[in-house]
Amino acid sequence: MGEQPARSADQSGGQDGGHSDGHSDGRGGGRGDGTRPPVRRVLLVDDHPLFREGLAAAVDLDDGFTVVAEAATGEDALVEAARTAPDLVVMDLGLPGLSGLETTRRLLTARPETRVVVMTMSEDDDNLLAAMRAGARGYLLKGALREEILHALHTVGRGGAVFSPRMAERLGSLFAAVGGSPAKEAFPTLTAREREILDLLAAGLSYRQIAQRLFVVDKTVRNHVGAIFAKLQVHDRASAIVRARDAGLGSG
């Protein structure tokens, strides 16, 4: 595993696959009938250890949560999710290796009852839409205040969905723009040529075949593909094709 990739449930208070008893009863969160609300188990996924450390400290201060594990890569996150059975996952998108989006898809395929909140630096519209398609229930920027993060976790934990005000506004605009033609406008930050090339990639054409189809040289296609990878925040052709086909591209 990577740098401080995981911490066990025992380190964060979770025991025997249940909820943590490490928080004091005198610190709020109790109900009027004397019963305590459920303590939700949280997995943090981010490749920056200092950010994870600060986020873990903030989350653990709330009686409603216990951080059961941390992971620095998507691969480690899948292992930790299988091991600790979290209720909530806070997921960064820009992970090394397996992307945060693909990790979210695989995690929710294996554990559909888990709820994912994306927390990232990216304000990119494509990533916002892709996160929703992958099954994320929230999308926050890393500049969010502690109170916003905890509010989002509580809301998503209760079955709701949360987006920061800025991202919610963008989401409304995007749905209004793409409602009539979702496949054509699935990736609004791509140029028309980039979307055309992505469509051909999703259809199974090689770089050389795309170049011949568009009457350009191979290098031109590769340059466009590099720009596509950057905008979609993917690391390879296979990941780009998955994103494109999920959006309805490549079907002819």
Side-chain angles (χ1 to χ4, degrees):
M1 293 187 183
E3 52 195 341
Q4 293 184 296
R7 73 177 190 175
S8 70
D10 290 342
Q11 289 174 300
S12 57
Q15 299 179 17
D16 299 328
H19 298 314
S20 168
D21 294 325
H23 297 301
S24 167
D25 289 346
R27 279 184 41 209
R31 292 176 178 168
D33 59 5
T35 63
R36 290 176 60 82
V39 179
R40 295 186 171 91
R41 300 162 60 80
V42 182
L43 166 63
L44 305 179
V45 186
D46 194 285
D47 62 329
H48 293 95
L50 290 180
F51 180 82
R52 285 201 317 270
E53 181 180 341
L55 184 58
V59 172
D60 270 335
L61 283 174
D62 190 303
D63 282 347
F65 308 111
T66 180
V67 176
V68 295
E70 301 174 22
T73 68
E75 291 83 356
D76 288 349
L78 296 176
V79 171
E80 291 303 317
R83 185 179 69 82
T84 63
D87 303 301
L88 293 162
V89 178
V90 180
M91 180 75 67
D92 185 23
L93 294 185
L95 299 173
L98 193 67
S99 73
L101 290 171
E102 184 60 27
T103 302
T104 297
R105 289 191 192 93
R106 295 188 189 184
L107 191 154
L108 293 178
T109 296
R111 297 187 50 80
E113 70 278 11
T114 302
R115 292 167 181 148
V116 175
V117 175
V118 166
M119 192 167 187
T120 180
M121 294 294 292
S122 174
E123 299 183 54
D124 182 79
D125 293 340
D126 291 344
N127 283 324
L128 173 59
L129 290 174
M132 290 189 62
R133 291 192 184 100
R137 302 292 292 272
Y139 194 106
L140 297 176
L141 299 178
K142 284 190 175 179
L145 299 175
R146 173 180 176 272
E147 291 76 14
E148 292 180 78
I149 297 169
L150 294 177
H151 170 72
L153 291 177
H154 278 293
T155 299
V156 172
R158 291 192 297 265
V162 172
F163 299 88
S164 67
R166 186 185 310 175
M167 301 314 290
E169 182 178 352
R170 286 191 173 193
L171 197 56
S173 300
L174 285 170
F175 278 144
V178 306
S181 184
K184 180 180 178 182
E185 297 299 332
F187 303 105
T189 60
L190 299 184
T191 65
R193 178 63 96 182
E194 289 167 351
R195 192 179 298 114
E196 183 179 19
I197 289 174
L198 181 59
D199 185 45
L200 294 173
L201 278 176
L205 275 67
S206 67
Y207 293 157
R208 175 161 296 182
Q209 289 171 324
I210 293 173
Q212 292 172 345
R213 176 79 63 90
L214 301 180
F215 302 102
V216 296
V217 298
D218 286 10
K219 183 177 180 181
T220 299
V221 173
R222 292 180 184 276
N223 288 341
H224 282 302
V225 169
I228 292 169
F229 287 1
K231 290 180 180 180
L232 301 190
Q233 290 199 340
V234 297
H235 302 288
D236 53 44
R237 175 174 171 170
S239 298
I241 289 174
V242 168
R243 290 279 305 274
R245 289 179 177 171
D246 283 348
L249 299 180
S251 59

